[in-house]
Amino acid sequence: MYLLKLATAVAALASGTDAAVRQLPRPASCSGVASFRYQYKLESGWSAMKIAGGLKQVRTIVWDTEGNMLVSQNTRGISVHTFGDNGCINSTTMLVSGNQINHGLSITPDGKTLYASSETTLWSWAYDPLTRKISNQKTIVKGMSTGIHSSRTVAVVPQQPNLVLLQVGSNSNFDMASQQPGTGRAIIKIFDASKAPSSGFNYNTEGEVYGYGLRNEIGFTADPNGVFWGVENSGDDFARTENGQRRDIHIDNPAEKLNNLGDPLTVRNAWYGYPTCFSVWNPANFPNSNLKTGSHFVVSPNSSYNDATCNGRAVPPRLTFQAHSAPIANTFDADAKNMYVTFHGSWNRQPATGFKVVQIPFTKLANGTYEPVAPADSMTGYKDIFSAPNPGSCTANGLTMSNCFRLTAAVWDPAGRGLFVGSDNSAEGEIYVLTPNA
């Protein structure tokens, strides 16, 4: 169980809390919890169990300082779950009820302030982890744009918890207006919640720009240095027009991204390329070029704006993923030796891809920074640890309906049971526990 003990040592960082909680066994099964709704495949050295079912579109999981699990359920609200000595859930209550809550959920390291989002608004509450009660609801940010990407990810900055990061995606495949940060789209902004006016900040006109040119940076998490790493969903249905020739590249391009977003205490106005610069996954789609996996490209290069323009201006991804994987959440294990990313799965690629949890090996460099082990041009920088048995056969009717699970939340359990992973398949919201074996 050495790997599991290491993993739980930083679970508090991943979940946003800094207190130690009682350790619990990982049960083989829990009474009243049905078996996995969908078949799965596990990497050797891991085990899996289903700890909760019958939920509605699980999107985000966080832990309070008492080891209680808080779950954002899309259009239902926020539930809080306590655990018995056997490691199973022994009580569930709705902390916040309402169909506006749809994704974002974060808690301060002291466990006393809770944040949650709708498509347009970020709220905070005073939270008591002993009584599992909230009070003093406040509007922190309002006026976020509506569009095709409705999820709003929020994260407390652990080294300065009055600061929150808040993300809005693009409103179309090519949201050209989002080149201007003032649109408040394809962007992550920083707000000082302690200075929020009584009616809340206006998202588009207030706050500071952390990074923009991020088509849909729906997951981001901090490493032990407080540097945030984000996973980005890129575009669909791409073709490349070059020298008058149009080539369909959409099966394997553009890549999804892993971005080093930097330290939110120092980084401002970083541009990551969208809506004009995209990343290569499969270089075979770009003959007669020097592009590699991870390079930036444009869909219609010309003499004034081309691939070289992008690679000279936009912050490059640190690693890339198979196109259409749809990464949703990411989290580190102990000492940031690995990052884990949930792939929601594709809806418009044949054969389908995604529907899995992947592990990305990381290393701590001599200068104290953390980096993926694989080089930026690698196509093998991550491996599957939990997936649909045959992701290529998974079908997706819309964003949540599928004949496979649709993986979302990912967070290590501070009580030592393993990696908690959510699924928001509309047929049943589920939570699984993935545990590395001794």
Side-chain angles (χ1 to χ4, degrees):
M1 295 294 289
Y2 176 68
L3 288 175
L4 183 56
K5 291 178 181 178
L6 281 175
T8 58
V10 294
L13 174 65
S15 65
T17 62
D18 57 10
V21 302
R22 62 173 177 149
Q23 298 298 285
L24 294 171
R26 199 216 74 164
S29 62
C30 291
S31 177
V33 179
S35 59
F36 281 77
R37 191 177 186 97
Y38 303 99
Q39 294 183 328
Y40 63 90
K41 180 173 65 175
L42 271 172
E43 170 72 7
S44 175
W46 289 80
S47 58
M49 61 88 60
K50 178 176 171 179
I51 202 162
L55 306 174
K56 185 174 182 181
Q57 295 183 28
V58 174
R59 295 294 296 185
T60 306
I61 299 170
V62 300
W63 302 96
D64 71 18
T65 51
E66 295 298 310
N68 303 310
M69 180 176 69
L70 283 67
V71 181
S72 174
Q73 300 184 54
N74 183 24
T75 72
R76 176 176 286 178
I78 302 167
S79 54
V80 58
H81 309 260
T82 65
F83 295 90
D85 291 339
N86 63 354
C88 294
I89 293 170
N90 64 1
S91 77
T92 295
T93 57
M94 291 305 299
L95 190 64
V96 179
S97 296
N99 60 12
Q100 288 186 305
I101 300 294
N102 73 345
H103 178 78
L105 188 64
S106 190
I107 194 167
T108 51
D110 64 7
K112 295 180 179 180
T113 305
L114 182 68
Y115 295 92
S117 67
S118 71
E119 186 173 6
T120 62
T121 307
L122 175 70
W123 297 281
S124 74
W125 295 264
Y127 176 69
D128 185 341
L130 293 174
T131 62
R132 302 181 300 282
K133 302 293 185 181
I134 55 172
S135 60
N136 194 27
Q137 178 177 328
K138 295 181 180 179
T139 298
I140 303 299
V141 181
K142 63 184 179 182
M144 289 182 278
S145 300
T146 58
I148 63 169
H149 298 123
S150 62
S151 298
R152 306 287 178 252
T153 302
V154 58
V156 172
V157 176
Q159 60 270 44
Q160 194 168 325
N162 57 301
L163 300 180
V164 293
L165 309 181
L166 186 58
Q167 165 267 355
V168 174
S170 67
N171 75 348
S172 62
N173 204 23
F174 292 93
D175 184 358
M176 302 310 294
S178 70
Q179 293 178 88
Q180 302 302 318
T183 62
R185 298 195 300 270
I187 194 170
I188 302 174
K189 300 188 80 171
I190 302 177
F191 295 90
D192 185 343
S194 68
K195 298 179 180 178
S198 58
S199 61
F201 292 110
N202 180 280
Y203 188 84
N204 293 354
T205 60
E206 298 179 277
E208 297 182 277
V209 176
Y210 182 32
Y212 68 112
L214 298 161
R215 183 178 178 272
N216 195 24
E217 199 84 359
I218 198 169
F220 39 89
T221 192
D223 70 22
N225 291 332
V227 170
F228 274 79
W229 295 78
V231 289
E232 182 176 352
N233 287 239
S234 195
D236 303 304
D237 302 319
F238 269 43
R240 164 99 158 179
T241 301
E242 191 172 11
N243 299 321
Q245 300 295 313
R246 186 179 186 276
R247 180 182 298 108
D248 184 343
I249 64 171
H250 85 279
I251 294 296
D252 287 327
N253 289 287
E256 318 282 47
K257 300 181 183 181
L258 173 65
N259 292 311
N260 181 333
L261 299 171
D263 185 341
L265 300 187
T266 59
V267 173
R268 294 293 183 274
N269 299 299
W271 182 61
Y272 294 85
Y274 182 81
T276 53
C277 304
F278 300 86
S279 292
V280 174
W281 173 249
N282 185 357
N285 287 152
F286 303 88
N288 306 314
S289 78
N290 294 319
L291 296 175
K292 300 179 179 180
T293 297
S295 297
H296 275 132
F297 72 93
V298 298
V299 294
S300 299
N302 56 53
S303 59
S304 62
Y305 203 96
N306 50 45
D307 303 335
T309 310
C310 286
N311 286 300
R313 295 182 184 177
V315 178
R318 180 53 186 84
L319 206 63
T320 52
F321 309 119
Q322 163 68 51
H324 310 294
S325 294
I328 296 290
N330 57 330
T331 189
F332 283 102
D333 64 7
D335 302 324
K337 290 183 177 178
N338 295 283
M339 177 187 285
Y340 297 85
V341 183
T342 54
F343 287 175
H344 200 222
S346 61
W347 60 271
N348 64 343
R349 182 185 190 272
Q350 295 299 327
T353 191
F355 307 94
K356 61 183 68 174
V357 177
V358 301
Q359 179 188 61
I360 307 170
F362 265 66
T363 187
K364 185 176 183 180
L365 303 181
N367 65 3
T369 60
Y370 294 84
E371 290 285 338
V373 170
D377 62 356
S378 176
M379 297 180 78
T380 58
Y382 59 94
K383 69 175 184 179
D384 302 352
I385 64 165
F386 175 76
S387 68
N390 179 15
S393 68
C394 294
T395 60
N397 179 11
L399 296 179
T400 60
M401 296 179 66
S402 176
N403 62 340
C404 301
F405 40 53
R406 306 300 301 273
L407 301 176
T408 52
V411 63
W412 283 93
D413 171 28
R417 287 163 293 182
L419 178 65
F420 276 54
V421 172
S423 169
D424 74 345
N425 192 306
S426 57
E428 183 185 9
E430 299 176 286
I431 298 176
Y432 319 123
V433 184
L434 311 182
T435 306
N437 300 330

